[in-house]
Amino acid sequence: MRDDFVSFALHLADLARPLARAHFRTPLAVETKADASLVTQADRGIEALLRDEIRRTYPGHGILGEEEGGDLGAARTWVIDPIDGTKSFVAGLPLFGTLIALAEHGRPVLGVIDMPILNERWHGVGGRAWLDGTPIRTGARPLSEARLFINSPDRFRGAEAEAVARLSGEVGLRRYGGDCYAYALLASGHCDLVLGAGLAVHDVFALMPVIEGAGGLITDWQGGPITPDFDGRVVAAANQALHAAALERLAG
């Protein structure tokens, strides 16, 4: 991975952070989009700022963002989620982040998870990952002691809810929510499993190089790779053994 791409990704996070902080816990108009997700002027403003900077610096690169769309057709595409966790953001909860990824031929190779209010930043590239410049590794707890995050119990119905309950019943600790922060905590070894559903490319591409660089895995619920047309469900795990155990419980 070229050093200038890594530096540029971190530069984008530097640009986004003060804008997110400026809007946090201020009166904002909140709109509900067609998919029932929320959007604010902060989401739109951050994405517009980052798009302008990408176009100025790398005019030949593609851009895919949550608010303005795009695709992964270019050889290199920047994937942006300006505020991952907009519901947390509008509720005054500081556990939202800005996600920035660089994909090459549809596969993320560089990822940044920036937490503007917490002043924490993870990034992953080339099979390694860091928190604020310090190398990180995932944990090694067995399933019976594992710490599980579930993005929201409202996401799961019927057989999915039963699968989540099977897994949840065998771990040592479970928490709900956290948005991208849960995946960052997994990369740093503080939790061990994260289940997500209803996600899109812009939600997960930045997470993948960070988790994988720290020694973990993130796949779909069948253990397959996260592709641009995945079904929105992911399972992230700290290690291979824990990942296999989670997939077994999810499958029933």
Side-chain angles (χ1 to χ4, degrees):
M1 170 59 61
R2 285 168 40 179
D3 289 345
D4 61 316
F5 291 158
V6 179
S7 298
F8 182 69
L10 299 176
H11 166 64
L12 291 177
D14 286 339
L15 290 179
R17 184 180 283 192
L19 189 52
R21 293 177 65 89
H23 284 295
F24 185 57
R25 294 180 179 169
T26 64
L28 287 173
V30 180
E31 300 174 34
T32 301
K33 296 188 287 189
D35 63 358
S37 64
L38 304 183
V39 63
T40 71
Q41 66 195 76
D43 299 79
R44 293 191 174 113
I46 291 170
E47 182 167 325
L49 177 67
L50 300 189
R51 282 178 175 272
D52 286 346
E53 189 71 359
I54 294 166
R55 292 189 187 107
R56 185 183 68 82
T57 308
Y58 297 113
H61 290 192
I63 305 174
L64 169 62
E66 178 178 12
E67 306 308 333
E68 297 185 35
D71 58 51
L72 294 165
R76 291 190 174 101
T77 301
W78 294 90
V79 181
I80 303 165
D81 190 343
I83 294 183
D84 181 78
T86 302
K87 291 179 181 178
S88 293
F89 177 79
V90 301
L93 187 67
L95 302 183
F96 66 90
T98 296
L99 302 180
I100 300 162
L102 177 61
E104 293 185 343
H105 304 288
R107 170 72 185 179
V109 294
L110 164 63
V112 177
I113 305 169
D114 188 71
M115 306 300 293
I117 308 304
L118 302 180
N119 291 318
E120 294 179 319
R121 180 179 298 167
W122 285 257
H123 79 280
V125 62
R128 299 179 65 192
W130 299 263
L131 166 58
D132 294 329
T134 300
I136 53 174
R137 296 296 294 175
T138 55
R141 299 177 191 87
L143 183 65
S144 62
E145 299 174 12
R147 303 165 184 175
L148 166 68
F149 270 82
I150 301 168
N151 66 348
S152 171
D154 300 334
R155 295 278 191 180
F156 307 103
R157 294 286 187 272
E160 278 189 352
E162 294 173 5
V164 171
R166 280 194 301 271
L167 176 59
S168 178
E170 295 197 36
V171 301
L173 180 152
R174 68 201 55 79
R175 302 294 295 168
Y176 294 95
D179 300 306
C180 60
Y181 197 50
Y183 298 87
L185 292 175
L186 185 148
S188 287
H190 300 298
C191 71
D192 310 284
L193 288 166
V194 184
L195 286 182
L199 304 177
V201 165
H202 58 259
D203 296 307
V204 297
F205 265 32
L207 311 176
M208 294 165 64
V210 176
I211 291 171
E212 293 167 355
L217 301 84
I218 178 168
T219 70
D220 65 21
W221 280 26
Q222 289 71 47
I226 305 298
T227 62
D229 59 352
F230 81 113
D231 68 4
R233 299 184 298 176
V234 303
V235 53
N239 54 67
Q240 289 274 5
L242 199 54
H243 183 255
L247 290 182
E248 182 181 351
R249 272 63 176 188
L250 289 173

